[in-house]
Amino acid sequence: MNAKVVVITGVSRGLGRAMAEEFIRLGHRVLGCGRSAQAVRELSARHGAEHRFSVVDVADDEAVREWAAQCLQEAGPPDLLLNNAAVVNRNAPLWKVPAAEFASVIDVNIKGVANVIRHFVPEMVARKQGVIVNFSSGWGRSTDREVAPYCATKWAIEGLSKSLAQELPKGMAAIPLNPGIINTDMLRTSFGVEAAHFPTAETWAEAAVPWLLELKAADNGRSLTVGERH
């Protein structure tokens, strides 16, 4: 097996943390970021110096620029860039979502993805190799009540990814990905106790990580869902 360099945002918890652990278990090199200093310390202590975990808010373009420069210097362009970091608004009709909360969802879920792309993708393009996965959602292809800000960002990720796919050189891919419904803190925010009926992030990652490793240039621009054939 050829070890890959994998960059993951949002490794503090949920899908990001579960993916980081599974990629490392399978022998790949992971460079991840999250907003929780405690989670970053735990991951750094648990795994060797080959892997890099950093405290970064993806909504902060300058912080992303510095982090990307360090990652690229140490490991070169990633083979797999996973824009996973996201937040969801507290359940509420759109007109009751405070402006600051709405802005936070936009800043992390859309601007954060653009910031990561801005600072990692140029070297991937220069090499004409690599897969960019921007995490969308079932709510990026449908809608529901009381999650309008989140839906808006995930629909945006679908369009952003498909447009990016048209700009990449042959040999690369940009993919908007629906991971499915997983029992995470974010899902519990929206679903409450009903979230317990869905798989944990760790169970999901066992199947999702090998599937992600099989993504290829032929998948460029496709709206995919984890587990479907590609």
Side-chain angles (χ1 to χ4, degrees):
M1 180 190 69
N2 293 323
K4 294 182 181 292
V5 174
V6 184
V7 169
I8 309 173
T9 66
V11 296
S12 295
R13 59 182 183 172
L15 302 191
R17 187 157 185 166
M19 285 190 293
E21 298 281 5
E22 187 65 13
F23 276 113
I24 292 171
R25 189 185 72 81
L26 293 176
H28 302 282
R29 186 176 187 181
V30 171
L31 301 98
C33 76
R35 294 194 293 188
S36 167
Q38 179 178 342
V40 165
R41 284 195 298 269
E42 290 171 356
L43 286 163
S44 297
R46 178 179 173 86
H47 302 291
E50 176 187 7
H51 309 286
R52 166 184 277 274
F53 296 99
S54 306
V55 178
V56 179
D57 180 353
V58 294
D60 182 339
D61 184 61
E62 181 59 22
V64 173
R65 185 193 66 77
E66 293 177 2
W67 173 58
Q70 294 166 354
C71 291
L72 292 166
Q73 182 177 10
E74 291 183 14
D79 299 293
L80 193 55
L81 175 59
L82 304 177
N83 274 306
N84 160 76
V87 295
V88 67
N89 61 284
R90 291 167 293 180
N91 286 14
L94 179 56
W95 60 89
K96 291 186 178 181
V97 177
E101 185 175 358
F102 188 95
S104 176
V105 176
I106 297 294
D107 287 348
V108 173
N109 296 8
I110 302 177
K111 294 180 182 179
V113 170
N115 291 341
V116 173
I117 288 169
R118 182 177 301 113
H119 297 298
F120 277 97
V121 170
E123 289 205 26
M124 298 172 71
V125 168
R127 193 177 62 169
K128 297 183 179 179
Q129 185 178 332
V131 174
I132 304 149
V133 179
N134 299 322
F135 276 61
S136 179
S137 169
W139 283 337
R141 302 166 193 174
S142 64
T143 57
D144 207 344
R145 62 194 299 271
E146 299 192 335
V147 283
Y150 183 80
C151 289
T153 63
K154 293 306 181 179
W155 279 70
I157 288 300
E158 293 281 331
L160 180 149
S161 302
K162 288 177 176 291
S163 182
L164 174 62
Q166 295 174 291
E167 299 165 348
L168 295 175
K170 185 177 180 181
M172 292 185 65
I175 297 157
L177 180 69
N178 172 16
I181 306 177
I182 306 100
N183 182 8
T184 62
D185 290 344
M186 185 180 295
L187 190 73
R188 288 188 285 274
T189 297
S190 301
F191 278 35
V193 296
E194 295 300 315
H197 296 299
F198 298 95
T200 64
E202 293 73 22
T203 298
W204 172 87
E206 289 179 5
V209 164
W211 185 91
L212 286 163
L213 289 166
E214 294 179 359
L215 292 169
K216 52 192 178 297
D219 296 311
N220 189 33
R222 297 180 61 197
S223 290
L224 296 177
T225 299
V226 168
E228 69 183 17
R229 294 185 65 183
H230 56 78

